[in-house]
Amino acid sequence: MKIGVLGLQGAVSEHLSATKRAMDSLGIRGEVRWVSHRDHIDGLDGLILPGGESTTIGRLMATTGLLQEIKDAVEKGLPILGTCAGLILMAKEGDKHVERTKQPLLRVMDIKIIRNAFGRQRESFEVDIPIRGLKGKPFRAVFIRAPAIERLWGGAESLAELEGRTVAAKQGRMLAFCFHPELTEDTRIHEWFLELCKG
Ligand code: GLN
């Protein structure tokens, strides 16, 4: 199995190591690749879009040609996991600011997002949240200047809510989280994604 982590900006190495740990715990023999060029997409079984700054990652994706390459691959069925800024990039619709500035997005998932949705004084916090589809205890979710999902439609379903807002969603073989699963020891979310990549 070959899994790529988009490595243009953000929490890249954390996802590389979380994915390797998830492979070990499932007994999957695989390879985790750093993706920084459009030629790196071909042959992947799954791709992770990390957190960071969605404006920067989006702009770099557009200039490298990765934006169109990834969009085409996802439309042909490539599974993707997006966390925080990665989730923003997956959304078909952004907030007013996103739409006005036309920041580049993949626009592959039936969700509308709001950037930096959890307020200034709470820009970063951790909370245990139950996630539908994830076996066992609630997940320790690390929120860092996190977005929220304001609306879902079509094939997208909500997996978790916080303060009445959706913070995790699934659509087919796409998983999206407003928080950072790669920053904890718990690899259940990465394992779930690897199972989707196998199927
Ligand atoms: N606030 C960032 C953005 O809007 C996302 C933050 C993150 O990925 N931790 O792109």
Side-chain angles (χ1 to χ4, degrees), residues 132-173:
R132 289 184 285 284
L134 202 65
K135 284 180 217 98
K137 59 177 199 271
F139 199 87
R140 185 74 176 167
V142 181
F143 286 80
I144 304 171
R145 294 186 10 101
I149 298 171
E150 188 182 44
R151 200 161 64 80
L152 303 93
W153 66 93
E157 57 173 316
S158 172
L159 300 176
E161 296 80 27
L162 181 68
E163 297 167 4
R165 291 152 141 177
T166 296
V167 292
K170 180 177 186 294
Q171 179 171 352
R173 300 211 287 170

Side-chain angles (χ1 to χ4, degrees), residues 51-55 83-86 88 115-116 144-147 180:
E53 197 52 48
S54 60
T55 48
T83 61
C84 207
I88 296 172
R115 286 181 66 197
N116 306 319
I144 304 171
R145 294 186 10 101
H180 287 269

